[in-house]
Amino acid sequence: HPHSRPRHSRAHTMVPLLLLLLATAHGLDELGYKPQLASSALGGLNTTSTFVLEQPRCVFTDYPNADIWLVVAIPEAVANFSNSVEPGTPERAFQGFPTSAGAYMTLNTTLLNYPCPKDPGEITVLRVGSETSCATDASRPTCNGPLPGPGPYQVKFLALEGSEPVAETEWSDRIALRTASQPSSILVKGSGHSTGMIALTSILAILFAILLASLVAMVIFWGSDSCGGSSTFSKPEAVSVRRYNTHHVYDQPAARL
Amino acid sequence: MAKSDDGIRILQGLLVFGNVIIGMCGIALTAECIFFVSDPHGLYPLLEATENDDIYAAAWIGIFVGFALFGLSILGIIGVIKANRTLLVVYIILMLITYAFEMASCITAATQRDFLTPNLFLKQMLERYQKSEPDNNNDKWMTEGVTKTWDKLMLQNHCCGVQGPSDWQDYTSAFRVKHNDADYPWPHNCCVMDAQGSPVNLDGCKLGVSGYYNSKGCYGAISGPMNTHAWGVAWFGFAILCWTFCVLLGTMFYWSRIEY
């Protein structure tokens, strides 16, 4: 009889077995880690063509034999990103990013380089964009070359055993790079005269004007005083005593200043 | 008579004293201006490249005014003691000319100081530092001056850029044209150097790890000496001129009192 009980019980055990087989056949472990930028104390955290990520320490501990790759993608390529496309193919080549390749894979390493636990005194970072020598070398599709524009970009880590993806992290938040402005946009402030300078100029001008006025008064006084006038100081000479007596006759108190 | 005689004697004494002070201040002004003109901090190429180095012209005028003040003060002392009207007229007129020159120097120094802002130096640094294709000989001379001065500044003062290393990231520059961003986020002189003149840790410098790169800006190292220079010429000159004003007024009064 095809619908006997033993068969039913076998069918019940078959389904979970099938599911288990399916899961292991897929093999992809979704790790709950989200890649982040490194600490903001770094001055070069974010430049116009590079950025710095925290290393994924203590994340891939279950996969000592896998190659851990960094995937960098433009946000448009994140939705239909396929894990099974192998690194080094034209679809994942750095040199074609972002025009012909929506994402590229680089910085592959094994778990040996991400030891767990992290030494607290160490700066454990990954600088994305530091390799300039291979940026235009088509024979190096996994180059960690400088990013072509200000972004934004999203990254994730992917562990591959052979060519099989076995684990991946979440996609990071969007990472935007710096944009540089033109130096011609810098406003060199014209002439912002400080109060000190204005005070100095005005006081000096006034003093000079007073001096000139006194000089003019002096010249006028000299002119009207040429052969006469009063003098209140006498040189200590015998001759002047006599002259003083002479002037005494024409002494005019009003002429004295 | 005796009373006014005494009064004139006192005036004479005061004028001699005033002229002695002027003479000493003249020497001091000359010494100060020679110090500034000698450019001990090596910042002159930066000013030269702004094509507006009037602060240096003010200091040069100060040197000659200082000598003139010293010479004229001696003339003044002789004129006052001898009570010679002609000498005193010559003294007054020459002093007024010197006064005018010193006034020009003070005002120039004070005005030029206001012109030297951080943005001015930032723009100059971005446009000239390590510029690879100068337009003409003059441009080449200024570019070399600016590059050498900045290299020396960053090395000796352990600083980077005008406001900080981010200047090199926030703006494109002649430096950026020559050196790509990934290898040189900022010039290598911004890195902490060892005794041989090479970076202690180049990767640390590129990452911006504190201790391996200079994170503070150089504007303090530039504006400090320039402020001292400008204010030294402007305000010391102003003080001398105020004193000279009093002495000159006193001399004119004294002149009107002595007999011909």
PDB file of all heavy atoms in Angstrom, chain A residues 122-150:
ATOM      1  N   GLU A 122      46.599  48.117  20.365  1.00  0.00           N
ATOM      2  CA  GLU A 122      46.891  48.156  18.929  1.00  0.00           C
ATOM      3  C   GLU A 122      45.859  48.933  18.153  1.00  0.00           C
ATOM      4  O   GLU A 122      44.695  48.973  18.505  1.00  0.00           O
ATOM      5  CB  GLU A 122      46.858  46.720  18.392  1.00  0.00           C
ATOM      6  CG  GLU A 122      48.228  46.088  18.259  1.00  0.00           C
ATOM      7  CD  GLU A 122      48.081  44.693  17.690  1.00  0.00           C
ATOM      8  OE1 GLU A 122      47.316  44.512  16.731  1.00  0.00           O
ATOM      9  OE2 GLU A 122      48.717  43.794  18.247  1.00  0.00           O
ATOM     10  N   ILE A 123      46.323  49.530  17.071  1.00  0.00           N
ATOM     11  CA  ILE A 123      45.401  50.170  16.125  1.00  0.00           C
ATOM     12  C   ILE A 123      45.200  49.160  15.012  1.00  0.00           C
ATOM     13  O   ILE A 123      46.109  48.903  14.221  1.00  0.00           O
ATOM     14  CB  ILE A 123      45.999  51.459  15.568  1.00  0.00           C
ATOM     15  CG1 ILE A 123      46.267  52.438  16.708  1.00  0.00           C
ATOM     16  CG2 ILE A 123      45.059  52.101  14.563  1.00  0.00           C
ATOM     17  CD1 ILE A 123      47.032  53.671  16.279  1.00  0.00           C
ATOM     18  N   THR A 124      44.003  48.554  14.957  1.00  0.00           N
ATOM     19  CA  THR A 124      43.756  47.509  13.956  1.00  0.00           C
ATOM     20  C   THR A 124      42.847  48.085  12.891  1.00  0.00           C
ATOM     21  O   THR A 124      41.649  48.202  13.064  1.00  0.00           O
ATOM     22  CB  THR A 124      43.075  46.304  14.606  1.00  0.00           C
ATOM     23  OG1 THR A 124      41.912  46.767  15.288  1.00  0.00           O
ATOM     24  CG2 THR A 124      43.997  45.647  15.595  1.00  0.00           C
ATOM     25  N   VAL A 125      43.465  48.485  11.776  1.00  0.00           N
ATOM     26  CA  VAL A 125      42.672  49.120  10.730  1.00  0.00           C
ATOM     27  C   VAL A 125      43.022  48.559   9.368  1.00  0.00           C
ATOM     28  O   VAL A 125      44.065  47.936   9.175  1.00  0.00           O
ATOM     29  CB  VAL A 125      42.905  50.654  10.707  1.00  0.00           C
ATOM     30  CG1 VAL A 125      42.385  51.288  11.970  1.00  0.00           C
ATOM     31  CG2 VAL A 125      44.360  50.975  10.501  1.00  0.00           C
ATOM     32  N   LEU A 126      42.124  48.815   8.445  1.00  0.00           N
ATOM     33  CA  LEU A 126      42.347  48.490   7.043  1.00  0.00           C
ATOM     34  C   LEU A 126      42.210  49.788   6.259  1.00  0.00           C
ATOM     35  O   LEU A 126      41.179  50.447   6.332  1.00  0.00           O
ATOM     36  CB  LEU A 126      41.270  47.525   6.529  1.00  0.00           C
ATOM     37  CG  LEU A 126      41.312  46.088   7.017  1.00  0.00           C
ATOM     38  CD1 LEU A 126      40.090  45.353   6.518  1.00  0.00           C
ATOM     39  CD2 LEU A 126      42.564  45.403   6.515  1.00  0.00           C
ATOM     40  N   ARG A 127      43.248  50.159   5.527  1.00  0.00           N
ATOM     41  CA  ARG A 127      43.158  51.397   4.739  1.00  0.00           C
ATOM     42  C   ARG A 127      42.728  51.027   3.328  1.00  0.00           C
ATOM     43  O   ARG A 127      43.471  50.381   2.583  1.00  0.00           O
ATOM     44  CB  ARG A 127      44.492  52.122   4.729  1.00  0.00           C
ATOM     45  CG  ARG A 127      44.395  53.488   4.106  1.00  0.00           C
ATOM     46  CD  ARG A 127      45.561  54.370   4.530  1.00  0.00           C
ATOM     47  NE  ARG A 127      45.400  55.688   3.916  1.00  0.00           N
ATOM     48  CZ  ARG A 127      46.214  56.211   3.006  1.00  0.00           C
ATOM     49  NH1 ARG A 127      47.266  55.531   2.611  1.00  0.00           N
ATOM     50  NH2 ARG A 127      45.996  57.403   2.500  1.00  0.00           N
ATOM     51  N   VAL A 128      41.526  51.420   2.975  1.00  0.00           N
ATOM     52  CA  VAL A 128      40.990  51.106   1.653  1.00  0.00           C
ATOM     53  C   VAL A 128      41.435  52.190   0.688  1.00  0.00           C
ATOM     54  O   VAL A 128      41.136  53.361   0.890  1.00  0.00           O
ATOM     55  CB  VAL A 128      39.443  51.050   1.697  1.00  0.00           C
ATOM     56  CG1 VAL A 128      38.904  50.724   0.315  1.00  0.00           C
ATOM     57  CG2 VAL A 128      38.981  50.037   2.710  1.00  0.00           C
ATOM     58  N   GLY A 129      42.168  51.812  -0.341  1.00  0.00           N
ATOM     59  CA  GLY A 129      42.593  52.789  -1.336  1.00  0.00           C
ATOM     60  C   GLY A 129      44.061  53.119  -1.269  1.00  0.00           C
ATOM     61  O   GLY A 129      44.508  54.091  -1.861  1.00  0.00           O
ATOM     62  N   SER A 130      44.855  52.301  -0.570  1.00  0.00           N
ATOM     63  CA  SER A 130      46.246  52.687  -0.367  1.00  0.00           C
ATOM     64  C   SER A 130      47.187  52.243  -1.475  1.00  0.00           C
ATOM     65  O   SER A 130      48.284  52.756  -1.575  1.00  0.00           O
ATOM     66  CB  SER A 130      46.736  52.128   0.970  1.00  0.00           C
ATOM     67  OG  SER A 130      46.616  50.722   0.961  1.00  0.00           O
ATOM     68  N   GLU A 131      46.776  51.294  -2.315  1.00  0.00           N
ATOM     69  CA  GLU A 131      47.705  50.804  -3.344  1.00  0.00           C
ATOM     70  C   GLU A 131      47.573  51.605  -4.619  1.00  0.00           C
ATOM     71  O   GLU A 131      46.621  51.427  -5.382  1.00  0.00           O
ATOM     72  CB  GLU A 131      47.384  49.340  -3.686  1.00  0.00           C
ATOM     73  CG  GLU A 131      48.032  48.325  -2.798  1.00  0.00           C
ATOM     74  CD  GLU A 131      47.803  46.924  -3.346  1.00  0.00           C
ATOM     75  OE1 GLU A 131      46.762  46.335  -3.033  1.00  0.00           O
ATOM     76  OE2 GLU A 131      48.648  46.452  -4.123  1.00  0.00           O
ATOM     77  N   THR A 132      48.538  52.455  -4.897  1.00  0.00           N
ATOM     78  CA  THR A 132      48.433  53.261  -6.111  1.00  0.00           C
ATOM     79  C   THR A 132      49.137  52.638  -7.300  1.00  0.00           C
ATOM     80  O   THR A 132      48.841  52.945  -8.444  1.00  0.00           O
ATOM     81  CB  THR A 132      49.058  54.646  -5.871  1.00  0.00           C
ATOM     82  OG1 THR A 132      50.330  54.464  -5.258  1.00  0.00           O
ATOM     83  CG2 THR A 132      48.175  55.478  -4.978  1.00  0.00           C
ATOM     84  N   SER A 133      50.065  51.694  -7.031  1.00  0.00           N
ATOM     85  CA  SER A 133      50.885  51.170  -8.143  1.00  0.00           C
ATOM     86  C   SER A 133      50.083  50.321  -9.113  1.00  0.00           C
ATOM     87  O   SER A 133      50.374  50.270 -10.295  1.00  0.00           O
ATOM     88  CB  SER A 133      52.045  50.359  -7.571  1.00  0.00           C
ATOM     89  OG  SER A 133      51.534  49.427  -6.631  1.00  0.00           O
ATOM     90  N   CYS A 134      49.037  49.640  -8.605  1.00  0.00           N
ATOM     91  CA  CYS A 134      48.316  48.724  -9.495  1.00  0.00           C
ATOM     92  C   CYS A 134      46.981  49.290  -9.931  1.00  0.00           C
ATOM     93  O   CYS A 134      46.156  48.579 -10.513  1.00  0.00           O
ATOM     94  CB  CYS A 134      48.080  47.399  -8.763  1.00  0.00           C
ATOM     95  SG  CYS A 134      47.218  47.616  -7.202  1.00  0.00           S
ATOM     96  N   ALA A 135      46.743  50.581  -9.684  1.00  0.00           N
ATOM     97  CA  ALA A 135      45.406  51.136  -9.942  1.00  0.00           C
ATOM     98  C   ALA A 135      44.999  51.027 -11.400  1.00  0.00           C
ATOM     99  O   ALA A 135      43.825  50.877 -11.716  1.00  0.00           O
ATOM    100  CB  ALA A 135      45.360  52.595  -9.480  1.00  0.00           C
ATOM    101  N   THR A 136      45.947  51.124 -12.336  1.00  0.00           N
ATOM    102  CA  THR A 136      45.580  51.035 -13.756  1.00  0.00           C
ATOM    103  C   THR A 136      46.084  49.745 -14.379  1.00  0.00           C
ATOM    104  O   THR A 136      46.027  49.561 -15.578  1.00  0.00           O
ATOM    105  CB  THR A 136      46.174  52.223 -14.534  1.00  0.00           C
ATOM    106  OG1 THR A 136      47.543  52.361 -14.147  1.00  0.00           O
ATOM    107  CG2 THR A 136      45.427  53.509 -14.224  1.00  0.00           C
ATOM    108  N   ASP A 137      46.550  48.820 -13.549  1.00  0.00           N
ATOM    109  CA  ASP A 137      47.120  47.565 -14.062  1.00  0.00           C
ATOM    110  C   ASP A 137      46.006  46.532 -14.180  1.00  0.00           C
ATOM    111  O   ASP A 137      45.548  45.980 -13.181  1.00  0.00           O
ATOM    112  CB  ASP A 137      48.209  47.105 -13.079  1.00  0.00           C
ATOM    113  CG  ASP A 137      48.961  45.905 -13.601  1.00  0.00           C
ATOM    114  OD1 ASP A 137      48.590  45.370 -14.673  1.00  0.00           O
ATOM    115  OD2 ASP A 137      49.923  45.498 -12.928  1.00  0.00           O
ATOM    116  N   ALA A 138      45.578  46.237 -15.403  1.00  0.00           N
ATOM    117  CA  ALA A 138      44.449  45.326 -15.590  1.00  0.00           C
ATOM    118  C   ALA A 138      44.770  43.911 -15.166  1.00  0.00           C
ATOM    119  O   ALA A 138      43.871  43.098 -14.938  1.00  0.00           O
ATOM    120  CB  ALA A 138      44.010  45.338 -17.057  1.00  0.00           C
ATOM    121  N   SER A 139      46.047  43.587 -15.024  1.00  0.00           N
ATOM    122  CA  SER A 139      46.402  42.239 -14.592  1.00  0.00           C
ATOM    123  C   SER A 139      46.275  42.083 -13.077  1.00  0.00           C
ATOM    124  O   SER A 139      46.521  41.012 -12.542  1.00  0.00           O
ATOM    125  CB  SER A 139      47.838  41.913 -15.026  1.00  0.00           C
ATOM    126  OG  SER A 139      48.735  42.775 -14.349  1.00  0.00           O
ATOM    127  N   ARG A 140      45.903  43.169 -12.381  1.00  0.00           N
ATOM    128  CA  ARG A 140      45.718  43.088 -10.942  1.00  0.00           C
ATOM    129  C   ARG A 140      44.294  43.510 -10.604  1.00  0.00           C
ATOM    130  O   ARG A 140      44.071  44.603 -10.072  1.00  0.00           O
ATOM    131  CB  ARG A 140      46.724  44.013 -10.224  1.00  0.00           C
ATOM    132  CG  ARG A 140      48.168  43.601 -10.305  1.00  0.00           C
ATOM    133  CD  ARG A 140      48.532  42.547  -9.261  1.00  0.00           C
ATOM    134  NE  ARG A 140      47.974  42.824  -7.944  1.00  0.00           N
ATOM    135  CZ  ARG A 140      48.533  43.632  -7.048  1.00  0.00           C
ATOM    136  NH1 ARG A 140      49.658  44.251  -7.342  1.00  0.00           N
ATOM    137  NH2 ARG A 140      47.962  43.834  -5.889  1.00  0.00           N
ATOM    138  N   PRO A 141      43.306  42.670 -10.884  1.00  0.00           N
ATOM    139  CA  PRO A 141      41.915  43.089 -10.649  1.00  0.00           C
ATOM    140  C   PRO A 141      41.553  43.194  -9.175  1.00  0.00           C
ATOM    141  O   PRO A 141      40.551  43.815  -8.830  1.00  0.00           O
ATOM    142  CB  PRO A 141      41.084  42.005 -11.338  1.00  0.00           C
ATOM    143  CG  PRO A 141      41.979  40.815 -11.418  1.00  0.00           C
ATOM    144  CD  PRO A 141      43.377  41.337 -11.506  1.00  0.00           C
ATOM    145  N   THR A 142      42.366  42.580  -8.296  1.00  0.00           N
ATOM    146  CA  THR A 142      42.039  42.668  -6.874  1.00  0.00           C
ATOM    147  C   THR A 142      42.854  43.747  -6.190  1.00  0.00           C
ATOM    148  O   THR A 142      43.133  43.680  -5.004  1.00  0.00           O
ATOM    149  CB  THR A 142      42.315  41.325  -6.172  1.00  0.00           C
ATOM    150  OG1 THR A 142      43.688  40.997  -6.394  1.00  0.00           O
ATOM    151  CG2 THR A 142      41.418  40.247  -6.705  1.00  0.00           C
ATOM    152  N   CYS A 143      43.235  44.760  -6.957  1.00  0.00           N
ATOM    153  CA  CYS A 143      44.040  45.856  -6.421  1.00  0.00           C
ATOM    154  C   CYS A 143      43.238  46.660  -5.404  1.00  0.00           C
ATOM    155  O   CYS A 143      42.048  46.910  -5.589  1.00  0.00           O
ATOM    156  CB  CYS A 143      44.438  46.757  -7.591  1.00  0.00           C
ATOM    157  SG  CYS A 143      45.439  48.167  -7.149  1.00  0.00           S
ATOM    158  N   ASN A 144      43.920  47.097  -4.348  1.00  0.00           N
ATOM    159  CA  ASN A 144      43.274  47.979  -3.360  1.00  0.00           C
ATOM    160  C   ASN A 144      43.568  49.418  -3.749  1.00  0.00           C
ATOM    161  O   ASN A 144      44.261  50.142  -3.045  1.00  0.00           O
ATOM    162  CB  ASN A 144      43.835  47.653  -1.966  1.00  0.00           C
ATOM    163  CG  ASN A 144      43.222  48.519  -0.890  1.00  0.00           C
ATOM    164  OD1 ASN A 144      42.160  49.093  -1.062  1.00  0.00           O
ATOM    165  ND2 ASN A 144      43.898  48.621   0.238  1.00  0.00           N
ATOM    166  N   GLY A 145      43.026  49.791  -4.902  1.00  0.00           N
ATOM    167  CA  GLY A 145      43.395  51.082  -5.451  1.00  0.00           C
ATOM    168  C   GLY A 145      42.592  52.226  -4.862  1.00  0.00           C
ATOM    169  O   GLY A 145      41.567  52.015  -4.202  1.00  0.00           O
ATOM    170  N   PRO A 146      43.034  53.466  -5.129  1.00  0.00           N
ATOM    171  CA  PRO A 146      42.314  54.627  -4.595  1.00  0.00           C
ATOM    172  C   PRO A 146      40.926  54.726  -5.216  1.00  0.00           C
ATOM    173  O   PRO A 146      40.744  54.471  -6.400  1.00  0.00           O
ATOM    174  CB  PRO A 146      43.178  55.817  -5.037  1.00  0.00           C
ATOM    175  CG  PRO A 146      44.460  55.248  -5.479  1.00  0.00           C
ATOM    176  CD  PRO A 146      44.224  53.844  -5.880  1.00  0.00           C
ATOM    177  N   LEU A 147      39.969  55.125  -4.415  1.00  0.00           N
ATOM    178  CA  LEU A 147      38.595  55.184  -4.880  1.00  0.00           C
ATOM    179  C   LEU A 147      38.433  56.328  -5.874  1.00  0.00           C
ATOM    180  O   LEU A 147      39.016  57.397  -5.715  1.00  0.00           O
ATOM    181  CB  LEU A 147      37.674  55.378  -3.676  1.00  0.00           C
ATOM    182  CG  LEU A 147      37.708  54.116  -2.811  1.00  0.00           C
ATOM    183  CD1 LEU A 147      37.356  54.428  -1.379  1.00  0.00           C
ATOM    184  CD2 LEU A 147      36.773  53.082  -3.366  1.00  0.00           C
ATOM    185  N   PRO A 148      37.657  56.096  -6.919  1.00  0.00           N
ATOM    186  CA  PRO A 148      37.607  57.069  -8.013  1.00  0.00           C
ATOM    187  C   PRO A 148      36.825  58.349  -7.720  1.00  0.00           C
ATOM    188  O   PRO A 148      36.980  59.318  -8.418  1.00  0.00           O
ATOM    189  CB  PRO A 148      36.954  56.291  -9.161  1.00  0.00           C
ATOM    190  CG  PRO A 148      36.226  55.183  -8.502  1.00  0.00           C
ATOM    191  CD  PRO A 148      36.934  54.859  -7.244  1.00  0.00           C
ATOM    192  N   GLY A 149      35.991  58.362  -6.726  1.00  0.00           N
ATOM    193  CA  GLY A 149      35.206  59.574  -6.496  1.00  0.00           C
ATOM    194  C   GLY A 149      34.792  59.670  -5.053  1.00  0.00           C
ATOM    195  O   GLY A 149      35.148  58.827  -4.236  1.00  0.00           O
ATOM    196  N   PRO A 150      34.043  60.729  -4.730  1.00  0.00           N
ATOM    197  CA  PRO A 150      33.661  60.898  -3.319  1.00  0.00           C
ATOM    198  C   PRO A 150      32.596  59.933  -2.838  1.00  0.00           C
ATOM    199  O   PRO A 150      32.227  59.959  -1.678  1.00  0.00           O
ATOM    200  CB  PRO A 150      33.151  62.346  -3.278  1.00  0.00           C
ATOM    201  CG  PRO A 150      32.761  62.658  -4.662  1.00  0.00           C
ATOM    202  CD  PRO A 150      33.595  61.837  -5.575  1.00  0.00           C
TER     203      PRO A 150
END
